[in-house]
Amino acid sequence: MLLAINPKFSTKGIQVRSVSGDAFDAGLRENDIILSFNKIEINNPEEFINILSQQQPLKEQEIKVETSAKEVSFKILDSLGFKTKNLTIISVEKNIPLEINSTLISVNNKEVKNDNDLIKIESQLIKKARYQITTNKGEIIFLSSKIPDITVKDTEKSNIKKGLDLVGGTRVLLKPEINLEERDVESLTKILSNRLDIYGLSDIRIRPAKDLSGNIFILAEIAGATKEEVKSLIAQQGKFEAKVGNDTVFEGGKKDITFVCRGDGGCSGIVPPCRQTSEGSSCTFEFQIRLSPDAAKKHALITRDIPVSLDGYLEKDLELFLDNELVDKLRISSSLKGQEATSIAISGPGFGQDQESAYQDALKKMDKLQTVLITGSLPQKLEIIKLDSISPLLGEEFTKNIILTTFFAFLGVLTIMYIRYRKLKIVLPILLTMLSEIIIILGFAALIQWNLDLVSIAGIIVAVGTGVDAQIVIVDETLKKGQKYLNWKTKIKNAFFIIFSAFATTTVAMLPLWYAGAGLVRGLAFTTIVGITAGVFITRPAFGKIMEKLLEEE
């Protein structure tokens, strides 16, 4: 069990919580230990954040592109901002003033003869910084035009997984609108997990649960998430529809959408400037998506008969709905009438009392909309039954209080045991047995990756408490006056009849807690059953043998 717990008394570096982009492509993975970044030793997450904040992002550079339609100049950062097929421009990112279906001629006065020429020119133009990361698995070196997207945490000091009560985060209990089959529940949990993962949240644990009446629930625990984020991402079905009039052009999900631009790669972001309104400030977000061929054909069929207004746009707008609420309206250019458009820009507003709050609101709404477009809608609406949020600081306080309480509990038990028996050779084995039972419970939890929360720790206390009771029974039976004619085996047998009866009673009492409250107190049942089972079959027989050896002279 000690090997399963794997305690680390001295830890170096920091642990990767999540990683994406060029760092992931280079081989950095979740739970890797970062020892140094660009040859600077890292000891805690704060140092890593400070080093990242000092990294200067590469500046945009201006390029000149000539096509069959026109010659334009624009700025780029980490890509040219457009794609070609046989030198025909097939997609263009936000703010790139090129026309789709025009033919590429040159870039920075260099003639482009084929698509491979464009790839070579792009590799020469895009500037990248060199990053060197030393981990517990070796050295990782990569080039990137962006600051690495890496989040970290303190290195784990053991294999014990702490629950939400001890590390902070949000726990939500959800109930589907109608009872689902098991396969539907699995599909629902996968979509929820994918949605939270794409949004950028880590340390996610989602599982189905039942109560004693057979009702099905979804229990989600997310470290580092706020109540507002959980409500926005989980409680809403996230049904996205883009309509022209009453006709749906496309919906969220992989069936209709093949690509959603995220990050700051030039095709996703806040469109400057933010504006002052009578109620505060507003900012507009915009990002590019690419439609599947079927969705593009549907766009062509729906728009081909719509009249063109005098301002050069179609008389009907592309309306964006999220959970049947209008998010935004987009004008459709006359050049897209009846065209199988595969590249579309999605936009929407963000509001706040000042420009900073409006900017952050627009970013949050964009992240949510991008997440829904990638994952699609949930198959069922979910009702929030219970929502708990615990701050990381409160979690730390819980941990400190648990350690302090455990110490005083041990001290109190040992004091009473000494007053009762007046012999250290009885008290010390009781202490050894208590510690052994705790190590066995923690080791088994670490072995199966069980998250230990407050109710699980309460179960440990129950298990150790019943263990002390059993040890008192064993000692009293072996010391009982008037039974000196009985041999040791008979005395231990009498004690274990009582112990097994208590074990059976406690186990039966704990089983309903596995489902009670939709599994919210499952940790209490788990640790109690594991503890008393280990006690009955391992520690209490061992304690009986110890008592036999220590007290046989008496």
Short mmCIF file of all heavy atoms in Angstrom, two decimals, residues 316-366:
data_model
loop_
_atom_site.label_atom_id
_atom_site.label_comp_id
_atom_site.label_asym_id
_atom_site.label_seq_id
_atom_site.Cartn_x
_atom_site.Cartn_y
_atom_site.Cartn_z
N LYS A 316 -32.46 38.79 -46.90
CA LYS A 316 -32.58 38.02 -45.65
C LYS A 316 -31.20 37.82 -45.04
O LYS A 316 -30.22 37.63 -45.75
CB LYS A 316 -33.24 36.66 -45.91
CG LYS A 316 -34.72 36.75 -46.28
CD LYS A 316 -35.31 35.34 -46.42
CE LYS A 316 -36.79 35.41 -46.77
NZ LYS A 316 -37.38 34.04 -46.90
N ASP A 317 -31.16 37.88 -43.70
CA ASP A 317 -29.90 37.73 -42.98
C ASP A 317 -29.70 36.27 -42.54
O ASP A 317 -30.66 35.48 -42.48
CB ASP A 317 -29.88 38.62 -41.73
CG ASP A 317 -29.96 40.09 -42.08
OD1 ASP A 317 -29.51 40.45 -43.19
OD2 ASP A 317 -30.49 40.87 -41.27
N LEU A 318 -28.46 35.95 -42.21
CA LEU A 318 -28.16 34.67 -41.58
C LEU A 318 -28.28 34.89 -40.08
O LEU A 318 -27.50 35.63 -39.48
CB LEU A 318 -26.74 34.22 -41.94
CG LEU A 318 -26.30 32.86 -41.36
CD1 LEU A 318 -27.08 31.72 -42.00
CD2 LEU A 318 -24.80 32.64 -41.56
N GLU A 319 -29.28 34.27 -39.45
CA GLU A 319 -29.55 34.47 -38.03
C GLU A 319 -29.00 33.30 -37.22
O GLU A 319 -29.19 32.14 -37.57
CB GLU A 319 -31.06 34.59 -37.79
CG GLU A 319 -31.67 35.79 -38.49
CD GLU A 319 -33.17 35.89 -38.29
OE1 GLU A 319 -33.84 34.82 -38.25
OE2 GLU A 319 -33.69 37.00 -38.17
N LEU A 320 -28.29 33.65 -36.13
CA LEU A 320 -27.64 32.64 -35.29
C LEU A 320 -28.44 32.48 -34.00
O LEU A 320 -28.66 33.45 -33.27
CB LEU A 320 -26.21 33.07 -34.97
CG LEU A 320 -25.33 33.47 -36.17
CD1 LEU A 320 -23.95 33.89 -35.70
CD2 LEU A 320 -25.24 32.34 -37.19
N PHE A 321 -28.86 31.24 -33.71
CA PHE A 321 -29.64 30.95 -32.52
C PHE A 321 -28.89 29.96 -31.63
O PHE A 321 -28.32 28.98 -32.12
CB PHE A 321 -30.99 30.33 -32.90
CG PHE A 321 -31.93 31.27 -33.62
CD1 PHE A 321 -31.89 31.38 -35.00
CD2 PHE A 321 -32.83 32.04 -32.90
CE1 PHE A 321 -32.75 32.23 -35.66
CE2 PHE A 321 -33.69 32.91 -33.56
CZ PHE A 321 -33.66 33.01 -34.94
N LEU A 322 -28.89 30.25 -30.33
CA LEU A 322 -28.33 29.34 -29.34
C LEU A 322 -29.40 29.05 -28.31
O LEU A 322 -29.85 29.97 -27.61
CB LEU A 322 -27.08 29.93 -28.67
CG LEU A 322 -26.35 29.02 -27.68
CD1 LEU A 322 -25.87 27.74 -28.36
CD2 LEU A 322 -25.18 29.74 -27.03
N ASP A 323 -29.82 27.79 -28.21
CA ASP A 323 -30.94 27.40 -27.35
C ASP A 323 -32.17 28.26 -27.63
O ASP A 323 -32.81 28.79 -26.72
CB ASP A 323 -30.53 27.49 -25.88
CG ASP A 323 -29.56 26.39 -25.49
OD1 ASP A 323 -29.63 25.30 -26.08
OD2 ASP A 323 -28.72 26.62 -24.60
N ASN A 324 -32.45 28.44 -28.93
CA ASN A 324 -33.63 29.16 -29.43
C ASN A 324 -33.61 30.65 -29.13
O ASN A 324 -34.62 31.33 -29.32
CB ASN A 324 -34.92 28.54 -28.87
CG ASN A 324 -35.11 27.11 -29.30
OD1 ASN A 324 -34.84 26.76 -30.46
ND2 ASN A 324 -35.56 26.26 -28.39
N GLU A 325 -32.48 31.18 -28.69
CA GLU A 325 -32.34 32.62 -28.46
C GLU A 325 -31.42 33.20 -29.54
O GLU A 325 -30.36 32.65 -29.82
CB GLU A 325 -31.77 32.91 -27.08
CG GLU A 325 -32.73 32.57 -25.95
CD GLU A 325 -32.19 33.01 -24.61
OE1 GLU A 325 -31.18 33.76 -24.59
OE2 GLU A 325 -32.77 32.64 -23.58
N LEU A 326 -31.84 34.33 -30.11
CA LEU A 326 -31.07 34.96 -31.18
C LEU A 326 -29.77 35.52 -30.63
O LEU A 326 -29.78 36.34 -29.70
CB LEU A 326 -31.90 36.08 -31.83
CG LEU A 326 -31.25 36.79 -33.02
CD1 LEU A 326 -31.09 35.84 -34.19
CD2 LEU A 326 -32.10 38.00 -33.44
N VAL A 327 -28.64 35.06 -31.19
CA VAL A 327 -27.32 35.53 -30.77
C VAL A 327 -26.90 36.73 -31.60
O VAL A 327 -26.43 37.75 -31.09
CB VAL A 327 -26.26 34.41 -30.89
CG1 VAL A 327 -24.87 34.94 -30.56
CG2 VAL A 327 -26.62 33.25 -29.98
N ASP A 328 -27.07 36.64 -32.93
CA ASP A 328 -26.65 37.72 -33.82
C ASP A 328 -27.25 37.50 -35.19
O ASP A 328 -27.75 36.42 -35.52
CB ASP A 328 -25.12 37.74 -33.92
CG ASP A 328 -24.60 39.10 -34.37
OD1 ASP A 328 -25.38 40.07 -34.38
OD2 ASP A 328 -23.42 39.18 -34.74
N LYS A 329 -27.23 38.58 -35.99
CA LYS A 329 -27.64 38.52 -37.39
C LYS A 329 -26.46 38.91 -38.26
O LYS A 329 -25.76 39.88 -37.97
CB LYS A 329 -28.80 39.49 -37.65
CG LYS A 329 -30.12 39.10 -37.01
CD LYS A 329 -31.21 40.09 -37.41
CE LYS A 329 -32.56 39.71 -36.81
NZ LYS A 329 -33.62 40.66 -37.22
N LEU A 330 -26.21 38.14 -39.31
CA LEU A 330 -25.10 38.42 -40.22
C LEU A 330 -25.65 38.71 -41.61
O LEU A 330 -26.49 37.97 -42.13
CB LEU A 330 -24.15 37.22 -40.27
CG LEU A 330 -23.59 36.71 -38.94
CD1 LEU A 330 -22.73 35.47 -39.17
CD2 LEU A 330 -22.79 37.79 -38.24
N ARG A 331 -25.17 39.81 -42.21
CA ARG A 331 -25.56 40.13 -43.59
C ARG A 331 -24.89 39.15 -44.56
O ARG A 331 -23.76 38.72 -44.34
CB ARG A 331 -25.15 41.56 -43.95
CG ARG A 331 -25.69 42.65 -43.02
CD ARG A 331 -27.20 42.75 -43.07
NE ARG A 331 -27.74 42.98 -44.40
CZ ARG A 331 -27.83 44.18 -45.00
NH1 ARG A 331 -27.39 45.26 -44.38
NH2 ARG A 331 -28.36 44.28 -46.20
N ILE A 332 -25.59 38.79 -45.62
CA ILE A 332 -25.07 37.86 -46.63
C ILE A 332 -24.76 38.64 -47.90
O ILE A 332 -25.65 39.26 -48.49
CB ILE A 332 -26.07 36.73 -46.94
CG1 ILE A 332 -26.47 36.00 -45.64
CG2 ILE A 332 -25.49 35.74 -47.93
CD1 ILE A 332 -27.56 34.98 -45.82
N SER A 333 -23.49 38.64 -48.29
CA SER A 333 -23.08 39.37 -49.49
C SER A 333 -23.72 38.75 -50.74
O SER A 333 -23.94 37.54 -50.82
CB SER A 333 -21.56 39.37 -49.61
OG SER A 333 -21.15 39.91 -50.85
N SER A 334 -23.99 39.60 -51.72
CA SER A 334 -24.60 39.12 -52.97
C SER A 334 -23.68 38.15 -53.70
O SER A 334 -24.13 37.30 -54.47
CB SER A 334 -24.91 40.32 -53.89
OG SER A 334 -23.72 41.05 -54.17
N SER A 335 -22.35 38.23 -53.44
CA SER A 335 -21.40 37.32 -54.09
C SER A 335 -21.55 35.88 -53.60
O SER A 335 -21.09 34.95 -54.24
CB SER A 335 -19.97 37.79 -53.86
OG SER A 335 -19.66 37.78 -52.48
N LEU A 336 -22.22 35.70 -52.44
CA LEU A 336 -22.43 34.37 -51.88
C LEU A 336 -23.79 33.79 -52.24
O LEU A 336 -24.11 32.67 -51.85
CB LEU A 336 -22.29 34.41 -50.34
CG LEU A 336 -20.92 34.79 -49.79
CD1 LEU A 336 -20.96 34.89 -48.29
CD2 LEU A 336 -19.86 33.78 -50.23
N LYS A 337 -24.59 34.54 -53.00
CA LYS A 337 -25.92 34.06 -53.39
C LYS A 337 -25.79 32.81 -54.26
O LYS A 337 -25.11 32.81 -55.29
CB LYS A 337 -26.67 35.15 -54.15
CG LYS A 337 -28.05 34.71 -54.62
CD LYS A 337 -28.78 35.82 -55.36
CE LYS A 337 -30.13 35.33 -55.87
NZ LYS A 337 -30.90 36.38 -56.56
N GLY A 338 -26.41 31.72 -53.79
CA GLY A 338 -26.39 30.47 -54.53
C GLY A 338 -25.04 29.79 -54.57
O GLY A 338 -24.85 28.83 -55.33
N GLN A 339 -24.08 30.26 -53.76
CA GLN A 339 -22.73 29.70 -53.76
C GLN A 339 -22.58 28.68 -52.63
O GLN A 339 -23.15 28.84 -51.56
CB GLN A 339 -21.69 30.82 -53.59
CG GLN A 339 -21.68 31.83 -54.71
CD GLN A 339 -21.26 31.20 -56.04
OE1 GLN A 339 -20.29 30.45 -56.10
NE2 GLN A 339 -22.00 31.50 -57.09
N GLU A 340 -21.80 27.65 -52.89
CA GLU A 340 -21.51 26.66 -51.85
C GLU A 340 -20.37 27.18 -50.98
O GLU A 340 -19.21 26.74 -51.08
CB GLU A 340 -21.16 25.31 -52.48
CG GLU A 340 -22.32 24.68 -53.23
CD GLU A 340 -21.99 23.31 -53.79
OE1 GLU A 340 -20.91 22.77 -53.42
OE2 GLU A 340 -22.77 22.78 -54.59
N ALA A 341 -20.69 28.13 -50.12
CA ALA A 341 -19.69 28.77 -49.27
C ALA A 341 -19.26 27.82 -48.16
O ALA A 341 -20.09 27.30 -47.41
CB ALA A 341 -20.26 30.05 -48.67
N THR A 342 -17.98 27.58 -48.05
CA THR A 342 -17.46 26.70 -47.01
C THR A 342 -16.82 27.47 -45.86
O THR A 342 -16.62 26.92 -44.78
CB THR A 342 -16.40 25.74 -47.58
OG1 THR A 342 -15.36 26.51 -48.19
CG2 THR A 342 -17.03 24.82 -48.61
N SER A 343 -16.51 28.76 -46.06
CA SER A 343 -15.88 29.56 -45.02
C SER A 343 -16.83 30.69 -44.62
O SER A 343 -17.26 31.47 -45.46
CB SER A 343 -14.56 30.15 -45.52
OG SER A 343 -13.92 30.89 -44.52
N ILE A 344 -17.17 30.74 -43.33
CA ILE A 344 -18.12 31.72 -42.83
C ILE A 344 -17.57 32.33 -41.55
O ILE A 344 -16.95 31.64 -40.73
CB ILE A 344 -19.50 31.08 -42.56
CG1 ILE A 344 -20.18 30.70 -43.88
CG2 ILE A 344 -20.42 32.00 -41.76
CD1 ILE A 344 -21.52 30.05 -43.70
N ALA A 345 -17.77 33.62 -41.36
CA ALA A 345 -17.36 34.32 -40.14
C ALA A 345 -18.56 34.43 -39.20
O ALA A 345 -19.62 34.90 -39.58
CB ALA A 345 -16.83 35.70 -40.47
N ILE A 346 -18.40 33.95 -37.96
CA ILE A 346 -19.43 34.03 -36.93
C ILE A 346 -19.06 35.16 -35.99
O ILE A 346 -17.91 35.28 -35.56
CB ILE A 346 -19.52 32.71 -36.15
CG1 ILE A 346 -19.83 31.55 -37.09
CG2 ILE A 346 -20.57 32.80 -35.05
CD1 ILE A 346 -21.18 31.59 -37.73
N SER A 347 -20.04 35.99 -35.63
CA SER A 347 -19.75 37.12 -34.74
C SER A 347 -20.87 37.26 -33.71
O SER A 347 -21.93 36.64 -33.82
CB SER A 347 -19.60 38.41 -35.53
OG SER A 347 -20.83 38.77 -36.14
N GLY A 348 -20.60 38.07 -32.70
CA GLY A 348 -21.58 38.32 -31.66
C GLY A 348 -21.07 39.40 -30.72
O GLY A 348 -19.89 39.75 -30.74
N PRO A 349 -21.94 39.96 -29.88
CA PRO A 349 -21.55 41.06 -29.01
C PRO A 349 -21.22 40.62 -27.59
O PRO A 349 -21.63 39.56 -27.13
CB PRO A 349 -22.82 41.93 -29.00
CG PRO A 349 -23.93 40.93 -29.09
CD PRO A 349 -23.41 39.75 -29.88
N GLY A 350 -20.45 41.48 -26.90
CA GLY A 350 -20.21 41.35 -25.47
C GLY A 350 -20.45 42.69 -24.82
O GLY A 350 -20.14 43.74 -25.42
N PHE A 351 -21.02 42.71 -23.62
CA PHE A 351 -21.39 43.97 -22.98
C PHE A 351 -20.78 44.07 -21.59
O PHE A 351 -20.49 43.07 -20.94
CB PHE A 351 -22.92 44.09 -22.87
CG PHE A 351 -23.64 44.00 -24.20
CD1 PHE A 351 -24.24 42.81 -24.58
CD2 PHE A 351 -23.69 45.09 -25.06
CE1 PHE A 351 -24.90 42.70 -25.80
CE2 PHE A 351 -24.34 44.99 -26.28
CZ PHE A 351 -24.95 43.80 -26.65
N GLY A 352 -20.60 45.32 -21.13
CA GLY A 352 -20.08 45.58 -19.79
C GLY A 352 -20.16 47.04 -19.45
O GLY A 352 -20.45 47.89 -20.30
N GLN A 353 -19.91 47.34 -18.18
CA GLN A 353 -19.97 48.74 -17.74
C GLN A 353 -18.79 49.55 -18.28
O GLN A 353 -18.89 50.76 -18.45
CB GLN A 353 -20.00 48.81 -16.22
CG GLN A 353 -21.29 48.23 -15.62
CD GLN A 353 -21.35 48.40 -14.12
OE1 GLN A 353 -20.37 48.79 -13.48
NE2 GLN A 353 -22.50 48.11 -13.53
N ASP A 354 -17.66 48.88 -18.54
CA ASP A 354 -16.52 49.56 -19.14
C ASP A 354 -15.96 48.68 -20.25
O ASP A 354 -16.42 47.55 -20.46
CB ASP A 354 -15.44 49.89 -18.09
CG ASP A 354 -15.06 48.67 -17.27
OD1 ASP A 354 -14.95 47.56 -17.85
OD2 ASP A 354 -14.89 48.80 -16.04
N GLN A 355 -14.95 49.18 -20.94
CA GLN A 355 -14.41 48.44 -22.09
C GLN A 355 -13.77 47.12 -21.67
O GLN A 355 -13.90 46.12 -22.38
CB GLN A 355 -13.39 49.31 -22.84
CG GLN A 355 -14.01 50.41 -23.67
CD GLN A 355 -13.03 51.00 -24.67
OE1 GLN A 355 -11.91 50.52 -24.80
NE2 GLN A 355 -13.46 52.03 -25.38
N GLU A 356 -13.10 47.09 -20.52
CA GLU A 356 -12.44 45.86 -20.07
C GLU A 356 -13.46 44.76 -19.78
O GLU A 356 -13.29 43.62 -20.21
CB GLU A 356 -11.61 46.14 -18.81
CG GLU A 356 -10.90 44.92 -18.24
CD GLU A 356 -9.90 44.28 -19.20
OE1 GLU A 356 -9.37 45.01 -20.07
OE2 GLU A 356 -9.67 43.07 -19.09
N SER A 357 -14.55 45.10 -19.06
CA SER A 357 -15.57 44.09 -18.75
C SER A 357 -16.30 43.66 -20.01
O SER A 357 -16.66 42.48 -20.15
CB SER A 357 -16.55 44.64 -17.71
OG SER A 357 -17.19 45.82 -18.18
N ALA A 358 -16.53 44.60 -20.95
CA ALA A 358 -17.17 44.24 -22.23
C ALA A 358 -16.26 43.32 -23.03
O ALA A 358 -16.73 42.35 -23.67
CB ALA A 358 -17.49 45.50 -23.02
N TYR A 359 -14.97 43.59 -23.02
CA TYR A 359 -13.99 42.76 -23.72
C TYR A 359 -13.99 41.34 -23.15
O TYR A 359 -14.02 40.36 -23.90
CB TYR A 359 -12.60 43.40 -23.58
CG TYR A 359 -11.51 42.72 -24.38
CD1 TYR A 359 -11.22 43.12 -25.69
CD2 TYR A 359 -10.74 41.71 -23.83
CE1 TYR A 359 -10.21 42.51 -26.41
CE2 TYR A 359 -9.74 41.08 -24.54
CZ TYR A 359 -9.47 41.50 -25.84
OH TYR A 359 -8.48 40.88 -26.56
N GLN A 360 -13.96 41.21 -21.81
CA GLN A 360 -13.95 39.90 -21.17
C GLN A 360 -15.26 39.16 -21.41
O GLN A 360 -15.27 37.94 -21.61
CB GLN A 360 -13.70 40.04 -19.66
CG GLN A 360 -12.32 40.56 -19.29
CD GLN A 360 -11.21 39.68 -19.81
OE1 GLN A 360 -11.34 38.45 -19.87
NE2 GLN A 360 -10.08 40.28 -20.19
N ASP A 361 -16.39 39.89 -21.42
CA ASP A 361 -17.69 39.27 -21.69
C ASP A 361 -17.73 38.73 -23.12
O ASP A 361 -18.24 37.62 -23.36
CB ASP A 361 -18.81 40.29 -21.47
CG ASP A 361 -20.19 39.68 -21.65
OD1 ASP A 361 -20.49 38.68 -20.98
OD2 ASP A 361 -20.97 40.20 -22.48
N ALA A 362 -17.19 39.49 -24.06
CA ALA A 362 -17.15 39.03 -25.45
C ALA A 362 -16.27 37.79 -25.60
O ALA A 362 -16.63 36.84 -26.32
CB ALA A 362 -16.63 40.15 -26.36
N LEU A 363 -15.14 37.75 -24.90
CA LEU A 363 -14.27 36.58 -24.94
C LEU A 363 -14.97 35.34 -24.39
O LEU A 363 -14.88 34.24 -24.98
CB LEU A 363 -12.99 36.84 -24.13
CG LEU A 363 -11.88 37.65 -24.79
CD1 LEU A 363 -10.72 37.81 -23.83
CD2 LEU A 363 -11.41 37.00 -26.08
N LYS A 364 -15.68 35.49 -23.26
CA LYS A 364 -16.38 34.36 -22.66
C LYS A 364 -17.47 33.84 -23.58
O LYS A 364 -17.63 32.63 -23.76
CB LYS A 364 -16.97 34.76 -21.31
CG LYS A 364 -15.95 34.91 -20.20
CD LYS A 364 -16.62 35.25 -18.88
CE LYS A 364 -15.59 35.38 -17.76
NZ LYS A 364 -16.23 35.73 -16.47
N LYS A 365 -18.23 34.75 -24.18
CA LYS A 365 -19.30 34.33 -25.09
C LYS A 365 -18.73 33.65 -26.33
O LYS A 365 -19.30 32.68 -26.83
CB LYS A 365 -20.14 35.54 -25.48
CG LYS A 365 -21.04 36.05 -24.35
CD LYS A 365 -21.87 37.24 -24.80
CE LYS A 365 -22.81 37.70 -23.69
NZ LYS A 365 -23.60 38.90 -24.08
N MET A 366 -17.60 34.15 -26.82
CA MET A 366 -16.96 33.53 -27.98
C MET A 366 -16.48 32.13 -27.64
O MET A 366 -16.69 31.18 -28.42
CB MET A 366 -15.79 34.40 -28.46
CG MET A 366 -15.09 33.83 -29.69
SD MET A 366 -13.78 34.90 -30.34
CE MET A 366 -12.57 34.79 -29.02
#
